[in-house]
Amino acid sequence: MRRALTVVALAASLAGCALAPPMRSYVLGERPQGMAVARAESSQTTIELKTVSLPDYLDSTDILRRVGPNEVAPSPTGRWGERLSLGVTAALASALSRRRPDLAVVTVPPPRPGQRIVVDIQALDTDAAGQCRMEARWRIAGPDARGPSTSGHGIFADGADAPDDAALAAALTRVIDQLAEGIVATLEHE
C-alpha cells in the first residue's frame, strides 16, 4: 500500500511538471546585434554610463511583481536573462545612444576619461496588472568626480499590454526609454 501511494505521488508530481509552462528568459531594451560596448569615433564625445544601482532585493534574475504592500513574488514562468542592474544599464546605454548618436555611450571606463552618468533607481515596482513605475535620480559629472556636475530626478510609468512577462519586459523597456529622455534633457541643459 505504501509503495502504491509513493508511485501515485511520484506520477502526480511528474504530471504537474509536465503541465507547467517552460521558464522563459527576457532581456530589456532594443540592442543592436553585435553591440557589446559602443566604440568612440574620433568625432564623438565619450560618456561613461556607470552600472545602474537599484534596490538590492531587485538586483537578481527573478522577475518580481508586487503582490502586497510589503511583499513581492517571483514570476513562475520567466526570469531576466541577466541581473536586472546589468540589463537596465545595457538598455539605458542603448536608449541614450539612439537619442544622442553624437555621443559614444560606453559601459566600461574609456581610455580617456570623459563625462560620467551615474543613475540610482530608488524605486521600481511592477504589479500583477502590469503597471510599471520607476523613480530615479541621475548625476552627470566630468572626468574629475570632484568637479561640477548636473543632476536630475524623475518618476516614470507605463503599463503592460497584457499581464504576462513579455509584456512586462516591454513596459519596463518603455520606462527605461523615458528615463533616457530625462537624462538627455539634463545633458542638453548643461
Side-chain angles (χ1 to χ4, degrees):
M1 179 70 163
R2 185 180 231 174
R3 186 176 187 169
L5 287 175
T6 302
V7 169
V8 168
L10 180 60
S13 173
L14 290 174
C17 290
L19 298 175
M23 183 68 75
R24 298 186 72 176
S25 294
Y26 297 89
V27 294
L28 296 169
E30 300 170 15
R31 298 179 215 174
Q33 290 191 356
M35 182 186 142
V37 175
R39 301 222 185 326
E41 295 177 14
S42 60
S43 63
Q44 290 180 304
T45 301
T46 302
I47 189 161
E48 178 188 3
L49 174 63
K50 303 297 271 183
T51 301
V52 173
S53 72
L54 41 90
D56 285 343
Y57 73 93
L58 291 174
D59 197 16
S60 72
T61 56
D62 291 327
I63 296 176
L64 297 174
R65 294 180 193 252
R66 186 162 296 277
V67 295
N70 299 312
E71 183 180 359
V72 293
S75 170
T77 57
R79 299 177 58 84
W80 297 121
E82 58 198 335
R83 293 188 71 79
L84 188 56
S85 60
L86 299 177
V88 170
T89 302
L92 182 56
S94 177
L96 290 168
S97 293
R98 281 192 316 274
R99 283 166 181 74
R100 289 292 304 267
D102 60 311
L103 296 176
V105 180
V106 298
T107 56
V108 295
R112 286 177 285 141
Q115 288 183 300
R116 289 185 178 95
I117 301 174
V118 178
V119 178
D120 177 29
I121 295 177
Q122 299 170 312
L124 176 59
D125 280 322
T126 56
D127 61 23
Q131 283 298 107
C132 184
R133 182 182 173 280
M134 173 194 294
E135 182 175 356
R137 293 188 178 282
W138 58 90
R139 185 172 59 85
I140 302 166
D144 180 6
R146 295 177 300 249
S149 65
T150 56
S151 60
H153 173 264
I155 297 173
F156 312 100
D158 202 319
D161 298 333
D164 61 25
D165 297 327
L168 176 68
L172 183 51
T173 295
R174 291 189 299 271
V175 168
I176 293 167
D177 284 344
Q178 293 172 28
L179 171 60
E181 288 286 336
I183 293 171
V184 166
T186 303
L187 278 167
E188 291 172 354
H189 284 99
E190 281 192 316

